[in-house]
């Protein structure tokens, strides 16, 4: 029942977090669209200032320089001009699109956009060679009744591609339409220049955002582009020279898929915990039976008091080590579950990898060795999986390196979980940030293993500070091997673990 309640709570929080993520993605997408529209508008103001200052005199040079700068800065708008000499009837232009201003221009290929903004620029949608362009222009009367048209042009395909590249991994797509409903950006090219009320189920009431506290409307709809259910956000987009709306659609099946994964992971954790409890109970029963038989044997061999006393002493030491080890495993499990809980809400893919690593690690932890001694190669395989799990938690805040200088040392033995204890001790007592990552280096040498980590201790006191070190010290003392050596050298905290034959 506890795991069922936990699953419901995690599912609810996961849906809420995913909806919050969709909302944040909407704002990020909207801001990118708004900023680009403002950039285009600022560019138009710059063109107007240049024209009013010098007329056509230097504008040709200005236009060429500005277009070169736009290419280098990856700006979408480019400038153009069209001048007409009333006396001679001659015209001059630097863009083929500007021929619509000729007396016999093909004006039927353009769609005017209504604009009552303070910028006083006129806007057209022009179709040329399967491409649609958004042209903003103004005009100036020159001496001799000559007229100069100038402005900026944006390829709508390039404009939409720009919005896609702003946030490629957000599971959303956006488009913009004018106040009259004319679509000027869309991932489906055939919808450009069409009325959004013809190819979507958007109603006029969906654009009434002023009555909402948030300043936008949110609803569930079927995507006209993907054919799946989406959460649709609509928010007004207003500048000095544009009055319209931005629509951001977030795919809903991503949300449902993530919630399903959360439920599946919760079931896996429940089964793993149940298996662990049953296994521990069976091991406890076996240990109890062994202890009972050992007690009967001691009582039956009263003539060997000295030997039996030694056995009792040995059993006592092993029991102490077992108690220390039993303290490590739950501590590690709870830390891992807490990390998994936080990671599920942040990065679902890393949470999946985290769960698989946690499963492999607990296969190693479920059945401990008899005398708490294992081959070095076995501990190395375990620490690799353990560090992969930690990398899922810390990402760039943690750096791990394994160096094997002596292959024969892999056949020797070390205390069970010794590498995990030393690395966990380094993470527990040292600062690990992106600006100041914690570096851990494990070197396999002929006579021992050197574990180094950058020495950047935390200022606050950490509970259980000497638990793991005391555990390793007792094991080495029990096997009458020189105790492990701990020191601080330069920028590193160094721990030397002797090897056993």
């Amino acid at each position: 029942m506890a795991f069922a309640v936990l699953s419901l709570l995690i599912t609810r929080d996961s849906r809420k977090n995913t909806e919050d993520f969709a909302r944040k993605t909407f704002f990020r997408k909207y801001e990118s669209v708004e900023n680009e529209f403002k950039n285009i508008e600022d560019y138009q103001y710059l063109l107007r200032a240049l024209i009013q200052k010098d007329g056509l005199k230097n504008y040709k040079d200005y236009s060429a320089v500005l277009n070169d700068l736009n290419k280098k800065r990856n700006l979408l708008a480019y400038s153009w001009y069209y001048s007409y000499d009333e006396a001679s009837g001659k015209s001059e232009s630097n863009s083929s699109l500007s021929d619509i201003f000729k007396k016999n221009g093909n004006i039927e290929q353009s769609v005017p956009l209504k604009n009552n903004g303070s910028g006083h620029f006129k806007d057209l949608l022009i179709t040329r060679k399967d491409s649609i362009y958004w042209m903003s222009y103004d005009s100036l009367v020159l001496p001799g009744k000559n007229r100069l048209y100038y402005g900026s042009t944006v390829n709508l395909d390039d404009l939409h591609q720009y919005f896609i590249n702003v946030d490629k991994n957000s599971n959303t797509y956006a488009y913009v339409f004018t106040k009259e409903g004319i679509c000027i950006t869309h991932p489906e090219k055939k919808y450009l220049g069409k009325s959004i009320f013809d190819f979507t189920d958007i109603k006029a009431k969906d654009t009434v955002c002023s009555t909402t506290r948030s300043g936008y409307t949110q609803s569930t709809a079927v995507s006209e582009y993907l054919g799946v259910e989406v959460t649709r956000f609509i928010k007004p987009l207003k500048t000095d020279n544009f009055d319209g709306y931005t629509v951001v659609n977030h795919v809903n099946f991503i949300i449902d898929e993530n919630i399903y994964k959360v439920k599946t992971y919760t079931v896996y954790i429940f089964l793993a915990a149940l298996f662990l409890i049953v296994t521990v109970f069976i091991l406890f029963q076996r240990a109890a039976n062994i202890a009972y038989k050992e007690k009967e044997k001691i009582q039956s061999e009263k003539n060997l008091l000295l030997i039996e006393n030694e056995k009792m002493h040995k059993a006592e030491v092993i029991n102490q080590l077992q108690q220390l080890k039993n303290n490590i495993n739950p501590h590690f499990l709870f830390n891992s579950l807490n990390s998994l809980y936080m990671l599920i809400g942040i990065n679902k893919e890393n949470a999946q990898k985290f769960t698989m690593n946690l499963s492999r690690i607990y296969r190693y932890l479920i059945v401990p060795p008899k005398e708490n001694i294992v081959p070095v190669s076995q501990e190395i395989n375990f620490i690799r999986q353990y560090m992969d799990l930690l990398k899922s938690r810390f990402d760039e805040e943690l750096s791990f390196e394994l160096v094997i200088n002596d292959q024969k040392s892999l056949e020797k033995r070390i205390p069970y979980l010794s590498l995990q204890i030393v690395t966990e001790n380094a993470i527990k007592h040292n600062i690990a940030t992106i600006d100041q990552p914690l570096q851990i280096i494990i070197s396999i040498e002929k006579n021992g293993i050197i574990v180094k980590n950058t020495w950047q201790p935390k200022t606050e006191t950490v509970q259980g500070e000497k638990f793991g070190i005391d555990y390793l010290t007792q094991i080495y003392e029990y096997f009458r091997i020189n105790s492990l050596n701990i020191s601080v050298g330069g920028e590193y905290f160094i721990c030397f673990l002797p090897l056993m034959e």
Side-chain angles (χ1 to χ4, degrees):
M1 290 181 63
F3 270 94
V5 172
L6 177 63
S7 177
L8 292 175
L9 292 176
I10 293 178
T11 300
R12 185 191 66 182
D13 290 344
S14 178
R15 178 176 287 276
K16 182 177 180 299
N17 290 335
T18 308
E19 290 176 352
D20 290 342
F21 173 75
R23 197 170 294 110
K24 291 178 181 178
T25 302
F26 153 63
F27 284 118
R28 186 167 62 246
K29 208 81 168 180
Y30 176 84
E31 288 174 359
S32 67
V33 174
E34 184 181 42
N35 287 337
E36 185 59 27
F37 271 64
K38 288 182 178 179
N39 287 337
I40 294 173
E41 187 172 278
D42 291 341
Y43 187 69
Q44 293 167 355
Y45 284 134
L46 176 61
L47 295 176
R48 172 178 287 172
L50 294 174
I51 285 292
Q52 292 179 349
K53 177 182 177 183
D54 295 326
L56 189 59
K57 181 179 179 182
N58 296 316
Y59 181 71
K60 298 177 183 179
D61 296 332
Y62 292 154
S63 177
V65 172
L66 287 174
N67 287 335
D68 288 339
L69 289 176
N70 287 348
K71 290 180 181 179
K72 295 178 180 178
R73 297 165 58 194
N74 293 323
L75 295 181
L76 299 178
Y78 68 89
S79 65
W80 55 269
Y81 65 88
Y82 172 81
S83 63
Y84 178 74
D85 190 332
E86 186 73 22
S88 64
K90 294 182 179 180
S91 61
E92 183 179 359
S93 173
N94 66 340
S95 172
S96 60
L97 296 177
S98 62
D99 59 8
I100 64 170
F101 298 107
K102 295 180 180 179
K103 290 185 177 181
N104 59 348
N106 196 1
I107 195 69
E108 64 274 6
Q109 291 186 347
S110 64
V111 178
L113 301 180
K114 294 181 180 180
N115 175 27
N116 297 321
S118 59
H120 303 296
F121 282 91
K122 298 179 179 62
D123 295 287
L124 293 174
L125 291 184
I126 302 175
T127 302
R128 288 292 173 85
K129 296 181 180 179
D130 296 330
S131 294
I132 299 181
Y133 299 88
W134 174 22
M135 175 183 286
S136 293
Y137 71 94
D138 198 2
S139 61
L140 180 68
V141 178
L142 301 176
K145 296 184 179 181
N146 296 329
R147 182 171 291 272
L148 170 65
Y149 293 91
Y150 65 92
S152 64
T153 302
V154 178
N155 186 313
L156 295 186
D157 294 338
D158 295 340
L159 183 61
H160 180 73
Q161 190 62 42
Y162 169 80
F163 294 145
I164 293 176
N165 293 332
V166 169
D167 191 4
K168 292 184 177 180
N169 300 318
S170 60
N171 303 318
T172 62
Y173 70 93
Y175 56 90
V176 179
F177 63 91
T178 66
K179 201 169 184 178
E180 293 72 31
I182 298 177
C183 182
I184 61 174
T185 71
H186 199 282
E188 189 66 59
K189 192 175 180 180
K190 65 181 181 181
Y191 294 141
L192 295 177
K194 303 294 178 59
S195 173
I196 53 99
F197 302 113
D198 294 338
F199 62 86
T200 70
D201 58 355
I202 296 177
K203 307 297 181 185
K205 63 180 181 179
D206 296 330
T207 63
V208 182
C209 303
S210 58
T211 58
T212 62
R213 180 183 299 180
S214 56
Y216 61 88
T217 60
Q218 177 179 347
S219 60
T220 301
V222 176
S223 169
E224 77 290 342
Y225 174 53
L226 301 175
V228 297
E229 185 182 84
V230 296
T231 300
R232 183 169 61 204
F233 300 89
I234 302 178
K235 186 175 181 180
L237 177 62
K238 293 184 179 181
T239 66
D240 291 346
N241 202 53
F242 183 81
D243 191 359
Y245 297 88
T246 298
V247 181
V248 177
N249 294 306
H250 191 281
V251 182
N252 281 349
F253 78 84
I254 302 295
I255 300 176
D256 298 332
E257 184 180 86
N258 292 337
I259 292 173
Y260 174 76
K261 288 181 179 179
V262 171
K263 292 181 179 179
T264 303
Y265 296 154
T266 306
V267 172
Y268 287 161
I269 295 173
F270 167 72
L271 295 176
L274 180 64
F275 178 72
L276 182 64
I277 292 172
V278 172
T279 303
V280 170
F281 179 77
I282 294 174
L283 293 176
F284 176 79
Q285 281 292 106
R286 290 183 178 180
N289 290 335
I290 293 174
Y292 180 75
K293 292 178 181 179
E294 189 69 23
K295 185 177 179 181
E296 286 186 343
K297 183 178 180 180
I298 292 174
Q299 292 178 350
S300 65
E301 296 178 357
K302 295 181 179 180
N303 57 330
L304 301 174
L305 292 178
L306 184 61
I307 299 176
E308 295 305 320
N309 285 336
E310 181 66 16
K311 289 184 178 180
M312 289 177 63
H313 175 69
K314 179 179 179 180
E316 180 181 357
V317 174
I318 292 177
N319 186 54
Q320 291 177 357
L321 296 178
Q322 184 65 34
Q323 289 178 358
L324 289 168
K325 180 170 60 187
N326 290 339
N327 285 333
I328 291 176
N329 292 348
H331 173 73
F332 176 67
L333 174 61
F334 294 143
N335 277 349
S336 299
L337 290 177
N338 286 335
S339 299
L340 177 60
Y341 174 79
M342 295 181 66
L343 196 58
I344 286 174
I346 299 173
N347 191 317
K348 308 302 181 297
E349 184 177 355
N350 285 347
Q352 186 177 11
K353 296 178 182 178
F354 187 98
T355 305
M356 294 305 297
N357 271 337
L358 186 61
S359 173
R360 295 189 188 101
I361 286 174
Y362 264 90
R363 289 195 191 100
Y364 185 73
L365 295 175
I366 285 173
V367 184
K370 211 171 194 181
E371 295 182 342
N372 297 283
I373 300 298
V374 294
V376 173
S377 59
Q378 193 170 329
E379 275 289 292
I380 291 298
N381 291 335
F382 171 77
I383 200 62
R384 281 176 172 154
Q385 296 172 353
Y386 178 71
M387 292 307 297
D388 285 343
L389 186 146
L390 291 179
K391 286 288 288 182
S392 298
R393 282 177 55 194
F394 294 97
D395 198 9
E396 297 178 1
E397 300 170 0
L398 182 64
S399 170
F400 173 68
E401 182 180 1
L402 176 64
V403 180
I404 301 176
N405 293 324
D406 190 347
Q407 291 289 338
K408 292 184 178 180
S409 296
L410 298 177
E411 301 174 2
K412 297 181 182 180
R413 300 188 299 169
I414 55 172
Y416 177 59
L417 295 181
S418 56
L419 294 180
Q420 185 267 336
I421 290 171
V422 176
T423 53
E424 186 183 46
N425 188 65
I427 295 170
K428 185 192 300 182
H429 299 293
N430 289 277
I431 297 172
T433 63
I434 295 177
D435 295 331
Q436 194 176 0
L438 178 64
Q439 183 182 16
I440 299 177
I441 303 173
I442 298 179
S443 301
I444 312 300
E445 307 296 341
K446 182 177 181 179
N447 297 321
I449 298 177
I450 299 174
V451 182
K452 297 195 307 182
N453 63 268
T454 47
W455 178 241
Q456 41 201 43
K458 297 178 179 178
T459 55
E460 67 274 10
T461 304
V462 181
Q463 294 182 354
E465 192 166 348
K466 295 184 177 180
F467 175 82
I469 301 300
D470 292 342
Y471 166 78
L472 293 176
T473 302
Q474 289 190 44
I475 291 182
Y476 278 115
E477 287 179 352
Y478 172 74
F479 288 97
R480 296 180 176 85
I481 295 177
N482 293 334
S483 179
L484 71 163
N485 188 352
I486 297 175
S487 62
V488 177
E491 299 178 353
Y492 289 93
F493 180 89
I494 303 172
C495 182
F496 180 80
L497 300 173
L499 297 179
M500 306 176 191
E501 295 297 336

